[in-house]
Amino acid sequence: RPAKKPKLSHLTSEDFKNGIFLAPMVRSGALPTRLFALKHGASLVWGPEMVDKAMLHAERVVDPLTGVISYNGQSRAMFTTHPIERPYLIFQIGSSDPDLAVQAAKTVMNDVSGIDLNCGCPKPFSTHSGMGAALLTNPDVLCSILTALRREMPPEITVSAKIRLLPSREDTLKLVERIVNTGISTLTVHCRTRNMRDREPAMVERLREIVEFVEGMGKGVAVVENGDCTGWEDARRIRALTGAHSVMVARAAESNPSCFSTTPLQDVEKTLVPSYIRLAEYLDNHWGLTKFCVNQFHSSHVVVRKADAKALRQALSKSKSYTDPVLKEAIGDGVSGKEEFDQIANAIE
Ligand code: FNR
């Protein structure tokens, strides 16, 4: 088996070990992408970050036909999920306030298996209001949020955090110690500092001492590596190099959500894109979001004829909805969205 899937009705720290996970990604971590990642070997999936306040006024609506659960804001669905992913779904919150974080977590807790706190987003949107990477230099607030979540969530909901490295080793270990002492089950470390760009290589070599430090604390907390992993094979290399219990993948999965598999799909335009579009239509995924996600997909080994890929891309950019005849023609016939969904449900259960 490429990755261990949780067998219990709820997750424990152990389920965060020996795994390969889909990272939280705003927009790119949409429901169809998460389902494809699970189908192709991801052991757990993180949802895109949702800011606590946005969740408080969301209306929860269930589609009786498909079972899709939408958390709707004033004009659109902010977060959608489906009960089949619930055993594997970690919901990520952006917060700088323990009460708001708890309220947001309570809003969604019946549809997810864990709550993760984003302590790594360096974008001004997050940091200006004290969220994301701003928490790294405000450990009192960071830890008060995790403590409140652990206290207020039922035991079957895991609480975890995703951080970045601090510039100094000592400061990083001090922060890690405080975070682990809040009672979390899992700590993901994006092996870049707040000021590093994604094109700079992740400092994976700094993780081993963090893993050993957390193991030395004896609480059984899983440490997850994040940064530059390209897929299943690479995750093995990274685990051997760092001692990390698991690995989390973002951009490689954004390009190809089957990268978790021992045999990832090679010609994504031919294989993944048509299935993805049909599944997304069945799940009533917002067309603009589907288009955005599909535009990120590309094959690492180009085996698909360039002309075919170009025709599909052109049809996609012209199409204004799932029912556009140009799009229908470009993706051709194949397994229906409902059949695709059923296959995924069978594969992941
Ligand atoms: C991200 N990342 C991110 N991180 C997070 O904690 N919450 C989020 O919502 C997002 N959103 C997001 C969107 C997109 C499009 C990208 C590319 C990235 C960061 C991501 O989870 C990860 O930490 C980094 O991308 C590093 O991992 P990779 O890409 O090197 O595997």
Side-chain angles (χ1 to χ4, degrees):
R1 281 175 74 88
K4 190 166 146 284
K5 292 261 171 69
K7 297 210 169 48
L8 298 166
S9 57
H10 64 265
L11 300 177
T12 69
S13 294
E14 290 307 303
D15 296 305
F16 290 86
K17 296 181 179 170
N18 304 312
I20 177 165
F21 307 146
L22 175 70
M25 280 187 284
V26 165
R27 298 199 84 197
S28 298
L31 171 62
T33 306
R34 301 198 301 270
L35 294 182
F36 272 105
L38 286 169
K39 177 184 178 185
H40 290 281
S43 17
L44 298 172
V45 292
W46 266 241
E49 179 201 51
M50 296 298 309
V51 171
D52 52 14
K53 277 189 196 137
M55 291 308 291
L56 302 187
H57 308 292
E59 186 196 8
R60 182 182 183 278
V61 177
V62 181
D63 181 336
L65 219 64
T66 58
V68 169
I69 300 161
S70 300
Y71 284 87
N72 295 336
Q74 275 179 347
S75 59
R76 63 184 179 96
M78 296 184 298
F79 175 70
T80 58
T81 179
H82 192 284
I84 62 166
E85 69 166 344
R86 182 184 158 188
Y88 316 102
L89 176 63
I90 310 300
F91 183 84
Q92 194 191 51
I93 292 182
S95 182
S96 58
D97 181 289
D99 293 336
L100 291 177
V102 166
Q103 282 180 57
K106 283 187 173 166
T107 311
V108 294
M109 70 182 186
N110 292 326
D111 294 320
V112 307
S113 289
I115 302 289
D116 188 70
L117 179 66
N118 182 345
C119 315
C121 182
K123 304 244 163 78
F125 162 78
S126 285
T127 53
H128 277 167
S129 43
M131 298 187 296
L135 292 170
L136 297 173
T137 44
N138 201 348
D140 289 343
V141 173
L142 192 168
C143 291
S144 70
I145 298 171
L146 293 175
T147 305
L149 285 170
R150 189 54 292 161
R151 189 182 60 235
E152 300 294 331
M153 286 293 101
E156 60 271 21
I157 298 287
T158 61
V159 174
S160 58
K162 178 167 176 278
I163 64 168
R164 284 182 177 237
L165 295 169
L166 291 173
S168 99
R169 295 171 46 221
E170 293 74 18
D171 290 345
T172 309
L173 292 183
K174 267 190 220 151
L175 179 69
V176 165
E177 182 174 25
R178 287 194 64 180
I179 292 175
V180 169
N181 278 330
T182 62
I184 56 162
S185 344
T186 303
L187 177 68
T188 302
V189 183
H190 177 185
C191 296
R192 290 187 175 86
T193 59
R194 175 177 171 172
N195 293 330
M196 283 172 77
R197 298 286 154 88
D198 281 355
R199 59 173 186 275
E200 294 177 69
M203 298 190 287
V204 179
E205 66 286 351
R206 278 189 53 187
L207 193 61
R208 181 168 283 279
E209 100 173 321
I210 297 172
V211 175
E212 285 169 2
F213 180 78
V214 172
E215 282 183 341
M217 290 178 73
K219 291 179 186 279
V221 169
V223 179
V224 180
E225 186 279 341
N226 171 233
D228 292 346
C229 178
T230 57
W232 187 79
E233 195 62 51
D234 199 33
R236 291 198 335 166
R237 178 190 66 81
I238 289 173
R239 286 188 61 196
L241 187 75
T242 61
H245 298 106
S246 293
V247 175
M248 173 186 273
V249 188
R251 286 164 302 163
E254 187 185 34
S255 299
N256 184 351
S258 74
C259 72
F260 302 96
S261 166
T262 48
T263 53
L265 300 172
Q266 298 292 324
D267 47 354
V268 294
E269 277 87 359
K270 230 179 189 168
T271 50
L272 182 69
V273 170
S275 317
Y276 190 96
I277 292 174
R278 287 191 211 102
L279 176 72
E281 180 178 14
Y282 171 70
L283 297 172
D284 201 16
N285 196 52
H286 188 278
W287 167 242
L289 187 57
T290 298
K291 206 163 159 169
F292 175 84
C293 290
V294 170
N295 276 325
Q296 314 299 316
F297 297 158
H298 56 82
S299 313
S300 47
H301 308 91
V302 183
V303 292
V304 69
R305 282 202 308 125
K306 279 215 169 84
D308 289 350
K310 205 171 158 203
L312 185 62
R313 298 271 175 217
Q314 277 173 350
L316 193 68
S317 81
K318 277 191 207 142
S319 302
K320 296 203 163 41
S321 74
Y322 289 108
T323 52
D324 203 310
V326 183
L327 181 73
K328 290 276 177 208
E329 196 189 322
I331 64 173
D333 292 329
V335 173
S336 73
K338 163 90 172 82
E339 284 165 329
E340 185 66 55
F341 175 82
D342 291 343
Q343 279 179 17
I344 293 176
N346 285 333
I348 69 179
E349 268 164 15

